[in-house]
Amino acid sequence: MPRDIHKIRNIGISAHIDSGKTTLTERILYYTKRIHAMHEVRGKDGVGAVMDHMELERERGITIQSAATYCEWDGHHINLIDTPGHVDFTIEVERALRVLDGAVLVLCAVAGVQSQSITVDRQMRRYNVPRVAFVNKCDRSGANPMRVAEQLREKLKHNAIMVQIPLGLEAAHEGVVDLIRMRACRFRGEHGEQLVWEEIPGPLRHEAEARREVLLDAASMHSDELTEAILEGRVTEELIWAALRRGTVAREITPVFMGSAYKNRGVQLLLDGVVRLLPDPTEVQNEAREVRGDQEITFVLSNSPADPVVAHAFKLEDGAYGQLTYLRLYQGRLVKGETLQNSRTGKKVKVGRLARMHASQMEDIIEAEAGDIVALFGIDCASGDTFTGGQRIALTSMHVPEPVVSLAVQAADAKSENNLAKALSRFTKEDPTFRVETDLETNDTLIKGMGELHLEVYLERIRREFHAQVTAGQPKVAYRESMTRAVDFDYTHKKQTGGSGQYGRVVGRLEPVEGEGFEFVNKVIGGTIPTEFISSCEKGFRAMLQRGPYVGFPVQGVRAILEDGAFHAVDSSDMAFQAAARGAFRQAYPQGRPVVLEPVMLVSVEGPSEFQGEIMGTLLQRRGIIVGTTEDEGFVRIDADVPLSDMFGYATVLRSATQGKAEFTMEFARYAPAPADVSAELEKRWAERRAAGEH
Amino acid sequence: MPQKELWERSPLRVFERAVGGGLGPGHVGIVLARAGVGKTAFLIGLALDALLRGRKVLHISTQESVETVRRFYDQLFKAMAEQLQIEDRAQRHLDVERNRHILVYNRKLFSLEKLEQSVGFLNQAAHFSPSLVIMDGTPRFEQTETWEMEGVARLAREWEAEVWTSSLVHREGQQCDGRGIPLAVARFDRWLAVVALLESRGDHVRVRILKDHDRPEVADLRLELDPSTLLLRWQ
């Protein structure tokens, strides 16, 4: 059955950890008849909400892995991508955001815009995701959706426009007044499935009219037709929806819906908003790169089923049905039995079984078209791979941060060893920020990731899902090293030991450069180094980056400029020039005033104003550089740059300093010079290790 | 390169000399410009110059978030590092961040009383006492009461800090006094030691001094804002 692409919505639900996202998702699935019973996240019935299908998540009451599920509403096909609420898993969030066309930003009516909402919002901005807001928990005491809308404007700089006002708040919360229809809506029935529309109660009329004015004002900015209709007094619901939609898709308006998912209020109207206001796949521009010959060109994906297939694997999952790969189709058509090619590896795979997922249940399908999200079975690939009909196409690479923490893990016995290996190979495929390495000195297996909690979750999965008994060491920070000033080099590698000799001379400069990479610039003219050996020189320099001569950590932020050199007709070789470059690096780099770099995190702590002193204290004790303070009504937010090595165990410290009333988020910011005592210690250790290695 | 030489080369020195060696602790200065001409960039330029000389800077905003203000500093730092060929940039950048605090208020909550409290708190909790305070767009001069301006001047004296503020100049119909200072600002004359104006001249922005402490003559400044980096440069 071919579907109308304009009726597809690929959306995510993004939210702060306790704002009730999972409950909302559950309700959406219930009202769209995908499930027939409701559970709570920390349900008493032990079943748990359907989207949280991992055991660990159930236990912690948080959603870790994103799963795609679909449902239908008002003739539209909605693919829901569940995004994790915890910031340590931002790569999961970002990966989910990449395939979304729109999102629902869930906010708590009591707590409002919290520090984590700010982090999530920042990520959504990065991927240009249009949003509608849902102010949840209007039944709670202290609920104030107007204040939350105000915070959306003040803190997140959204043009937040209320399309509803609450019909009663706290215990009296019964529904909403719809400012587009200008009717009040109550939710009746055991699960709020009956919508009862009625006149707006007298006491709310005035406010409703005032808020509608604001709504019309904002919407009319995006439609001349609506502006005219307002002047002529013939405004229709359809005109308002159309104008609001234009503003929302352009990310210039964030319509605000409200209700209480838990009490079954307002979810159906939010769904109306999702299908009417958020973009369909054709309204979002996605780019890809294609390699043709030795050229790389960027083009916009067409969304047309008639074009060659381009699909993006955004999620791998190992579940009850074996290995599942979630794909977002950007172009073309996917038919069961056909062959696809993995653009990265060049390997061909057969589409054996195609399914649409509904959390952990599934539905087999025969084909899927551009715009859709589907799951494939038993396909070997890594998350982030692109599948095509044969062209070498890659979707614009996603922002993947480098891991900043490592932990040593050891298996207790041979069986565990085996299971550990399986677990690690699975995780590295699923999560690009999770890496595995072997420590060359100790032979330990090191796992690396984005934070303490990130690695902890994997350790638990190793123990539970893979039944491996492992012990883990203390988390360690991943240091880097770099140089701070330019140094010239002139190095000759020469060896004459019978037979053919080795000869190569390189002249140039090493200099610091901003950023995390290494640059190689070839300025050799007149063939003083033959062209075929230029790449040998680059290889030689690169070989030195893995372990810097200063403290043995990876080198970053260095540019090598090759300006001149000399060669010998017989004795010069690839090997000789590689050795010359290595020698030049070893000689010059230590004179460039090398420094140790440590990962620094951007930490945002938010809490009641009376704890401002305590919060600042905890950050200053951790070598934090306070960047700024934001003061708001009763709340204060402090942003600080803190070295990651000082952040281990911070959650506990903050909790006890603020009676659990403050919370924090943390994102990798950059590498910055480490203090002198850290550098001295690392330098000493590296010198000892090298001395030991020489004997 | 020795630190001294580094900031001798800065065009900011020219500006400083033109206003009698700088604004001076305990004084309030103001920069005027039309919307989008570069008030914030000019003020951050002043701030970065002070930070690179090891001074402490408090930046107050009621319009931008901490993140946005910081990004603005980062961009200008980068441009300034290029302009002055600063070595050891990462370390210098770290010093800048260490000596700067960005204070953001919900506009409705901002008051001088609150500001005084916050600065007192910063001094107590983090031993932070600024020698330069940037109040970008705060207060809003058209709505400002005399006592508020008096309050800002009093705070400048109490903190023994230089306080730089800014104000919008409207395109048309704004009445000015003989020196070219809009009347909305001129009424606070006694509390303002230096008044500078950024004028858009086609593809560049010229910096003019309208008032320089008590000196009757003001220097004719040959400085402008580089349109691409928004940094001060010689004409």
Side-chain angles (χ1 to χ4, degrees), chain A residues 122 150 154 157 484 514 602 612-613 616 620 625-633 639 641 670 673, chain B residues 63 66-67 70 78 88 90-91 97-98 100-106 108-109 114 118 121 125-126:
Chain A
R122 188 157 53 216
E150 194 57 32
E154 288 280 333
K157 310 289 175 201
T484 57
E514 254 173 75
L602 173 60
Q612 187 173 1
M616 202 169 273
L620 288 169
I625 295 177
I626 311 285
V627 177
T629 315
T630 309
E631 298 195 20
D632 205 339
E633 225 161 338
D639 295 310
D641 281 355
R670 61 167 178 270
Chain B
Q63 283 154 24
V66 170
E67 200 189 340
R70 182 186 203 185
K78 228 172 157 179
D88 207 357
Q91 188 59 48
E97 303 240 301
R98 223 172 247 142
R100 178 197 66 200
H101 191 95
I102 302 166
L103 195 53
V104 170
Y105 290 94
N106 179 329
K108 281 176 242 145
L109 296 178
K114 192 118 186 108
S118 309
F121 173 81

Side-chain angles (χ1 to χ4, degrees), chain B residues 1 68 94 163:
Chain B
M1 172 139 346
T68 313
L94 212 58
V163 176

Side-chain angles (χ1 to χ4, degrees), chain B residues 60-112:
Chain B
I60 300 156
S61 174
T62 55
Q63 283 154 24
E64 312 290 353
S65 66
V66 170
E67 200 189 340
T68 313
V69 175
R70 182 186 203 185
R71 214 177 306 133
F72 215 147
Y73 271 87
D74 286 352
Q75 279 166 11
L76 279 163
F77 175 82
K78 228 172 157 179
M80 197 177 266
E82 286 296 321
Q83 187 190 44
L84 303 179
Q85 309 239 306
I86 297 176
E87 283 199 348
D88 207 357
R89 283 176 204 180
Q91 188 59 48
R92 281 305 181 78
H93 192 234
L94 212 58
D95 296 340
V96 162
E97 303 240 301
R98 223 172 247 142
N99 287 323
R100 178 197 66 200
H101 191 95
I102 302 166
L103 195 53
V104 170
Y105 290 94
N106 179 329
R107 192 177 314 179
K108 281 176 242 145
L109 296 178
F110 179 77
S111 69
L112 288 179

Side-chain angles (χ1 to χ4, degrees), chain A residues 161-179:
Chain A
I161 300 296
M162 291 170 74
V163 294
Q164 300 171 335
I165 59 172
L167 193 62
L169 280 172
E170 305 185 340
H173 178 59
E174 286 196 54
V176 297
V177 174
D178 185 318
L179 301 178

Side-chain angles (χ1 to χ4, degrees), chain A residues 338-342 347-351 376 379-380 387:
Chain A
E338 281 187 355
T339 312
L340 283 177
Q341 185 167 334
N342 184 331
K347 272 191 199 151
K348 291 199 169 153
V349 292
K350 200 173 166 219
V351 181
L376 294 186
I379 288 197
D380 187 34
F387 286 99

